[in-house]
Amino acid sequence: MTVPPLPGVHPAWLPPEAFRAAGSRRVLVLTDPVGDLGGEALPGPVADLGGEALPGPVADLGGEALAATVRAEAAEACERHGGAVVAPGEPFDLVLALSSADALPPEAQAVREPEIGAEGFVLARHDDVTVVLADDPAGLLYGWFEVVRLGEAAFGEARPARAHRPALRRRMLDHWDNIDVHPVMGQVERGYSGGSIFWRDGAARGDLARVRAYARLLAATGVNAVAINNVNVHATEARLLTDRLGEVAAIAAELRPYGIRVHLSVNFASPIVLGGLDSADPLDEGVREWWARTTAHVYETIPDFGGYVVKADSEGQPGPFAYGRSHADGANMLADALAPHGGVVFWRAFVYNHRQDWRDRSTDRARAAHDHFAPLDGQFRDNAIVQVKYGPMDFQTREPVSPVIAAMPGTRLAVELQVTQEYTGQQRHVCYLGPMWSEVLGFRFWGPGERTVADVAAGGGLTAVSNVGDDPYWTGHPLAQANLYAFGRLAWAPDLDPAAILDEWIGLTFPGGPGLVRATLHEMMDGSWETYERYTAPLGVGFMVRPGHHYGPDVDGYEYTPWGTYHFADRDGVGVDRTRATGTGYTGQYPAPWSEVYESLAECPDELLLFFHHVPYEHVLQSGSTVVQHIYDTHFAGAEEAAAMRLAWEKLAGSVDEALYARVKERLDEQVRCAEEWRDQVNTYFLRKSGVPDAHGRPIH
Amino acid sequence: MTVPPLPGVHPAWLPPEAFRAAGSRRVLVLTDPVGDLGGEALPGPVADLGGEALPGPVADLGGEALAATVRAEAAEACERHGGAVVAPGEPFDLVLALSSADALPPEAQAVREPEIGAEGFVLARHDDVTVVLADDPAGLLYGWFEVVRLGEAAFGEARPARAHRPALRRRMLDHWDNIDVHPVMGQVERGYSGGSIFWRDGAARGDLARVRAYARLLAATGVNAVAINNVNVHATEARLLTDRLGEVAAIAAELRPYGIRVHLSVNFASPIVLGGLDSADPLDEGVREWWARTTAHVYETIPDFGGYVVKADSEGQPGPFAYGRSHADGANMLADALAPHGGVVFWRAFVYNHRQDWRDRSTDRARAAHDHFAPLDGQFRDNAIVQVKYGPMDFQTREPVSPVIAAMPGTRLAVELQVTQEYTGQQRHVCYLGPMWSEVLGFRFWGPGERTVADVAAGGGLTAVSNVGDDPYWTGHPLAQANLYAFGRLAWAPDLDPAAILDEWIGLTFPGGPGLVRATLHEMMDGSWETYERYTAPLGVGFMVRPGHHYGPDVDGYEYTPWGTYHFADRDGVGVDRTRATGTGYTGQYPAPWSEVYESLAECPDELLLFFHHVPYEHVLQSGSTVVQHIYDTHFAGAEEAAAMRLAWEKLAGSVDEALYARVKERLDEQVRCAEEWRDQVNTYFLRKSGVPDAHGRPIH
């Protein structure tokens, strides 16, 4: 049931050592009355994985499988580290118990709550006993991993009982994995970690041990859903929905024991492509029946199937516009097909005109999602989740939070992040994204004290594009594992301090190492997002990357393209005027106070200034620096920080695993090179344009 | 022996109608004593295809094959158009005779010359008889096509005897065709006309009728050599030299009857890659023996094999530098292997650092070929031909002529042109290149009255990258056929007027059409190179294309790359300082007077100003315009001219073949769109940089 160490694969944040504290104790596991039927999943009582009721029955084969996982995890840890799984009545140091279990020991009885709720758990330590109590096996598993995270601290001083409940109902990773290697995009679109862990040679991998190990890693962070194929659904991948469903079921079987539901990206045109119909009109009865029938068949095969992910009418993908229907019509059609089975559809709001005329300054891609979706608020089914990228553009290093998130109070929303570092260094650069995500999730559209983004998304979810591939380190850059880890943790608890999450990850991943290793990693990673920002596109203006692959600098690379991603630099100034007064009016998509803050040249935060305003190079920032001097200063500083990172790492030679050291070193060499390239291209570009010399006379070319 | 019309393939400049004048006459063909052995090639007397002696015997299987071709061509034309091939003694209107033929009629005797020479012919008309006399069958074939070109004019007024001899010995098309479709570059690298006519599905095509037809078209222009694979020799293609030689032989058999020798691009590392040796050192005896043995085997299979083409130590291709040897060492090794068989090696001088640091303004890619090759002058074997691109950069729309051509008096040189329109519109734009090539070939390095580029290359040759593929029109854009035609004609006679060549091509390709068609085509095409220049990179500065595929504008696309192709535009000015006084010193690679003309800001021709000088935007050109106003004016004018071209073509609807009309129309639509894109991007870029408004207030974005 559990995952044996995979030869040649890095254990990430679950090395055997991480289980020492729990595994050296006497552990009591009480999972009755789920039943002690053995390790394999069987139909059992329904445990809803989410925090709120959804229409229709939810088939959950995972209940017993999850309970078995907890038992097996505890047994394996004890076997490895000298502890013991004990029987009821025997003395114990740790009890993991379902609240409904027979014969709850008094220590567990003492911390009972009327409703812990789905996936939640109570953790307490008193009378030298550590207690994890949950209403469902999923909660027990999450509690187990909390104990693992705490290590010896879980068995130290007394802890008052505290309920842990996931803040967001759906915590999901989307894999942009293709079955067939795409001629341009490769096997994993925007993937920087080798091939797919799901697919190889045009089919699901024969050996899915890696998928099981992945599920375990994810469960330890709190993730409970995965979509296993690219949202750009090509011909082969479309068939996963029908005649290749067996491959999906095989993957689902690996995910299930760790409480992770499988989701499929589907092609909106499937009724035509797969069904032989002549339409995909969401209001056409034949089309609706096709989806109902097809979806029913999916659930016959995978009763706990999660649902669909759809990218429609976006960047060339088919969608409801072809039939004069709205996105609500499209999403609802799929929602209706899924509802009887308890599934959901994630319908992406990433819709914009990617054939824009760069000459036309009135069209603003940033406005597009709001323009398309806000008017549809209230029209979506309860199991249709509108999935909104965190920013209005496309996963840039710095963007304002998408106003769509504030604009659809009558709609279930999921916020989409990007763990894979498409625009943030492609896992060749150290760029710990926890702080960025934390800012996004904690953003309050309606001002201080009002609800956060995480609050808005609670009933929908948090999703992200995964950074995982079949690379031995999972994520190409070993330190990029921290992003995967932080995503799960923030999805569970958005108010966690990202620096603390980082330390958690470091502590688990580099256990027992000298303090220098941990301190150095913290020093290198904690500010790495801001470092990356410093040496790339300045002040929120975005892009300036090489077109197509999006790696490395090209200041004008997208300036004269149809993609809507411009900076409008000329000899006098730079930035995009998105004000209501003189620009595209995008600031008006925000509620107060942000509609005013962003509109105001004086109040707009420096880091987003060029996203909202076109200003002269000599414009003075709130920081006191001019725009152009800020550009020079940050670019010199960013490149220096990258070099300092490498220097810090080099001091760890001999203190960390040799192969891991070498891998990180090689990436840091590239980061330093690339940061200098960014520094020089951006500085040269703006010196050539502005004519303003660097105040400190540093070399610009 | 001749070529039947290929179904679905455009006849280009050899439609049946082109043979009416000759084919409706009585034609006497006298090819004894080559022998009248029938249509197939057999070993026969040697006829050297070149104008000068080369060391070693030259195997020529083509003599009789060529004679048979002439007979068959005449027979077919007569059969189609009502004329007759007559026997000696019968009355005739046209005689095609070898000067050595028995029983030359008095009309032919009268125009005999002591030596007409290889491939040459004498053409005369007197006493109502047209005479073509040649020393070898190749000359006879070229004479036949001259009669075809003249049409009725060949049978009109008397013509004094005139000897026609090719000005350049080798007139060669290089095909950058891959056997396997390359994942990035496709089947034909820089090909814009579909797949390869030689290769398909990883092997030589089974049906080579298209190759035969191609050979015929080429012979009609004067081309006598073809290289059938890409100079970037990938793994599969490398094997053409050894175990896949049979495929080469099959293609050679199709080319031979039209006097065209086959050449192979070879990989310098072949001794390692194919021979299993551990070195490719050109001075290593084992390596030399491998090449000698391998080459001998090639000649056993293809006795009239032409030789090798090599791109070495360039853009990642292997070469002699790896062994500390010079390009002369490398070329001579292959020359020595080829010499016993009369073959030659074309050794490309396209060598430069493609990993340049854009920050380093002292490195100048334009200097590279001269820096590498000029010091080696005199060190190359007589059958090693150094192949030099016409300009110092890379086939730009406008470049100065490469100074390497003037710098190697002790070396056999070939000048390389590019018929495929990589940088000149990729056969989506009408761009008749005859005028550019004519300028290059007529350029006089040492001043008025001195030798031309064509004179320098006479003993080497003129080569070009072909624009032909398996497209029904051969060249994608039907009007791009004119470039292929003009290349052959200029290779034969570089002093021909390119406008006259254009009219020849129009007359042959659109026979019998209304005068409007011919006048319109001339109007559209004659100035099309200058039109293309107007709307693309200004004043000789080059590039500004999208990186990688090189189509469409991207002003800064190559500005911060390692490719050495910069314009250095800033807010004050633009251009590359290549003077000796203050720049890279490139002007010093020219002999006087050009070393002085290019050095002088006042004398440097406007069209090359930014290639040689960095100047302020307000610099006044010899034309009287400022640089920036010139940029605006030419870009508005160029785009207008493209639109006018389309307007002119649209008037031909109904007057030309419908499918051809549609193909050209579709390309013109794209040309107009793309020209506007060039106009707007370039103008906007320079307005944003310079801040200088258009004097005429036209819209710039």
Tab-separated table of all heavy atoms in Angstrom, chain A residues 230-252:
chain	number	residue	atom	x	y	z
A	230	ASN	N	-3.057	17.623	-20.572
A	230	ASN	CA	-2.960	19.013	-21.007
A	230	ASN	C	-4.327	19.627	-21.330
A	230	ASN	O	-5.156	18.986	-21.976
A	230	ASN	CB	-2.072	19.020	-22.265
A	230	ASN	CG	-1.690	20.396	-22.727
A	230	ASN	OD1	-2.127	21.400	-22.173
A	230	ASN	ND2	-0.854	20.429	-23.751
A	231	VAL	N	-4.523	20.865	-20.905
A	231	VAL	CA	-5.759	21.578	-21.260
A	231	VAL	C	-5.859	21.876	-22.754
A	231	VAL	O	-6.956	22.113	-23.257
A	231	VAL	CB	-5.901	22.912	-20.488
A	231	VAL	CG1	-6.268	22.654	-19.042
A	231	VAL	CG2	-4.653	23.768	-20.597
A	232	ASN	N	-4.723	21.915	-23.424
A	232	ASN	CA	-4.780	21.911	-24.888
A	232	ASN	C	-4.888	20.446	-25.292
A	232	ASN	O	-3.895	19.734	-25.355
A	232	ASN	CB	-3.528	22.554	-25.487
A	232	ASN	CG	-3.445	24.040	-25.169
A	232	ASN	OD1	-4.425	24.768	-25.279
A	232	ASN	ND2	-2.275	24.496	-24.757
A	233	VAL	N	-6.090	20.013	-25.521
A	233	VAL	CA	-6.352	18.583	-25.701
A	233	VAL	C	-6.196	18.214	-27.176
A	233	VAL	O	-7.023	18.592	-28.005
A	233	VAL	CB	-7.771	18.221	-25.217
A	233	VAL	CG1	-7.999	16.719	-25.318
A	233	VAL	CG2	-7.995	18.712	-23.796
A	234	HIS	N	-5.132	17.501	-27.480
A	234	HIS	CA	-4.884	17.109	-28.865
A	234	HIS	C	-5.641	15.809	-29.174
A	234	HIS	O	-6.318	15.266	-28.309
A	234	HIS	CB	-3.384	16.969	-29.089
A	234	HIS	CG	-2.599	18.172	-28.633
A	234	HIS	ND1	-2.758	19.420	-29.206
A	234	HIS	CD2	-1.693	18.330	-27.634
A	234	HIS	CE1	-1.968	20.283	-28.586
A	234	HIS	NE2	-1.301	19.664	-27.632
A	235	ALA	N	-5.484	15.329	-30.375
A	235	ALA	CA	-6.333	14.229	-30.852
A	235	ALA	C	-6.213	12.969	-29.993
A	235	ALA	O	-7.223	12.381	-29.571
A	235	ALA	CB	-5.983	13.919	-32.308
A	236	THR	N	-4.988	12.553	-29.722
A	236	THR	CA	-4.816	11.324	-28.954
A	236	THR	C	-5.416	11.474	-27.559
A	236	THR	O	-6.105	10.587	-27.059
A	236	THR	CB	-3.309	10.999	-28.824
A	236	THR	OG1	-2.752	10.931	-30.132
A	236	THR	CG2	-3.093	9.689	-28.090
A	237	GLU	N	-5.111	12.619	-26.939
A	237	GLU	CA	-5.513	12.838	-25.555
A	237	GLU	C	-7.031	12.953	-25.428
A	237	GLU	O	-7.600	12.599	-24.387
A	237	GLU	CB	-4.831	14.093	-25.015
A	237	GLU	CG	-3.311	13.950	-24.851
A	237	GLU	CD	-2.526	14.051	-26.158
A	237	GLU	OE1	-3.138	14.397	-27.196
A	237	GLU	OE2	-1.312	13.777	-26.144
A	238	ALA	N	-7.684	13.434	-26.463
A	238	ALA	CA	-9.142	13.536	-26.415
A	238	ALA	C	-9.768	12.173	-26.119
A	238	ALA	O	-10.777	12.069	-25.415
A	238	ALA	CB	-9.680	14.097	-27.739
A	239	ARG	N	-9.137	11.151	-26.600
A	239	ARG	CA	-9.711	9.801	-26.494
A	239	ARG	C	-9.626	9.209	-25.096
A	239	ARG	O	-10.214	8.157	-24.828
A	239	ARG	CB	-9.043	8.871	-27.515
A	239	ARG	CG	-9.391	9.244	-28.957
A	239	ARG	CD	-8.545	8.466	-29.949
A	239	ARG	NE	-8.555	7.054	-29.642
A	239	ARG	CZ	-7.543	6.225	-29.921
A	239	ARG	NH1	-6.448	6.683	-30.495
A	239	ARG	NH2	-7.640	4.947	-29.612
A	240	LEU	N	-8.905	9.867	-24.200
A	240	LEU	CA	-8.900	9.388	-22.808
A	240	LEU	C	-10.305	9.347	-22.241
A	240	LEU	O	-10.614	8.575	-21.347
A	240	LEU	CB	-8.015	10.299	-21.946
A	240	LEU	CG	-6.520	10.242	-22.249
A	240	LEU	CD1	-5.781	11.286	-21.439
A	240	LEU	CD2	-5.969	8.841	-21.965
A	241	LEU	N	-11.151	10.194	-22.789
A	241	LEU	CA	-12.526	10.289	-22.301
A	241	LEU	C	-13.353	9.061	-22.678
A	241	LEU	O	-14.348	8.758	-22.014
A	241	LEU	CB	-13.159	11.556	-22.902
A	241	LEU	CG	-14.585	11.905	-22.542
A	241	LEU	CD1	-14.697	12.184	-21.047
A	241	LEU	CD2	-15.043	13.137	-23.344
A	242	THR	N	-12.944	8.382	-23.714
A	242	THR	CA	-13.798	7.297	-24.216
A	242	THR	C	-13.035	5.971	-24.298
A	242	THR	O	-12.900	5.272	-23.292
A	242	THR	CB	-14.392	7.683	-25.590
A	242	THR	OG1	-13.332	8.119	-26.460
A	242	THR	CG2	-15.393	8.817	-25.437
A	243	ASP	N	-12.490	5.682	-25.462
A	243	ASP	CA	-11.926	4.339	-25.606
A	243	ASP	C	-10.606	4.153	-24.869
A	243	ASP	O	-10.147	3.033	-24.728
A	243	ASP	CB	-11.788	3.964	-27.086
A	243	ASP	CG	-10.967	4.959	-27.872
A	243	ASP	OD1	-11.201	6.182	-27.709
A	243	ASP	OD2	-10.079	4.545	-28.633
A	244	ARG	N	-10.003	5.260	-24.388
A	244	ARG	CA	-8.750	5.088	-23.637
A	244	ARG	C	-8.951	5.337	-22.145
A	244	ARG	O	-8.006	5.601	-21.413
A	244	ARG	CB	-7.674	5.992	-24.218
A	244	ARG	CG	-7.377	5.622	-25.682
A	244	ARG	CD	-6.207	6.346	-26.240
A	244	ARG	NE	-4.966	5.980	-25.563
A	244	ARG	CZ	-3.757	6.159	-26.084
A	244	ARG	NH1	-3.638	6.679	-27.307
A	244	ARG	NH2	-2.674	5.838	-25.412
A	245	LEU	N	-10.192	5.233	-21.714
A	245	LEU	CA	-10.532	5.499	-20.323
A	245	LEU	C	-9.827	4.540	-19.362
A	245	LEU	O	-9.548	4.885	-18.206
A	245	LEU	CB	-12.052	5.383	-20.166
A	245	LEU	CG	-12.675	5.827	-18.867
A	245	LEU	CD1	-12.346	7.282	-18.557
A	245	LEU	CD2	-14.206	5.643	-18.955
A	246	GLY	N	-9.519	3.357	-19.832
A	246	GLY	CA	-8.843	2.373	-18.993
A	246	GLY	C	-7.519	2.905	-18.459
A	246	GLY	O	-7.124	2.618	-17.317
A	247	GLU	N	-6.851	3.694	-19.284
A	247	GLU	CA	-5.576	4.254	-18.838
A	247	GLU	C	-5.798	5.251	-17.712
A	247	GLU	O	-5.011	5.356	-16.776
A	247	GLU	CB	-4.863	4.921	-20.021
A	247	GLU	CG	-4.449	3.907	-21.076
A	247	GLU	CD	-4.034	4.551	-22.391
A	247	GLU	OE1	-2.993	5.220	-22.429
A	247	GLU	OE2	-4.776	4.388	-23.390
A	248	VAL	N	-6.885	6.002	-17.804
A	248	VAL	CA	-7.216	6.960	-16.749
A	248	VAL	C	-7.536	6.196	-15.456
A	248	VAL	O	-7.093	6.580	-14.367
A	248	VAL	CB	-8.420	7.823	-17.173
A	248	VAL	CG1	-8.739	8.852	-16.088
A	248	VAL	CG2	-8.154	8.504	-18.514
A	249	ALA	N	-8.280	5.118	-15.596
A	249	ALA	CA	-8.643	4.324	-14.417
A	249	ALA	C	-7.402	3.759	-13.738
A	249	ALA	O	-7.312	3.711	-12.506
A	249	ALA	CB	-9.591	3.198	-14.822
A	250	ALA	N	-6.445	3.342	-14.531
A	250	ALA	CA	-5.209	2.791	-13.957
A	250	ALA	C	-4.480	3.858	-13.147
A	250	ALA	O	-3.929	3.588	-12.074
A	250	ALA	CB	-4.311	2.261	-15.074
A	251	ILE	N	-4.479	5.069	-13.650
A	251	ILE	CA	-3.822	6.161	-12.917
A	251	ILE	C	-4.637	6.524	-11.680
A	251	ILE	O	-4.083	6.733	-10.593
A	251	ILE	CB	-3.627	7.376	-13.851
A	251	ILE	CG1	-2.576	7.030	-14.919
A	251	ILE	CG2	-3.238	8.615	-13.055
A	251	ILE	CD1	-2.512	8.001	-16.078
A	252	ALA	N	-5.957	6.547	-11.824
A	252	ALA	CA	-6.824	6.859	-10.679
A	252	ALA	C	-6.583	5.881	-9.534
A	252	ALA	O	-6.599	6.253	-8.357
A	252	ALA	CB	-8.289	6.832	-11.104
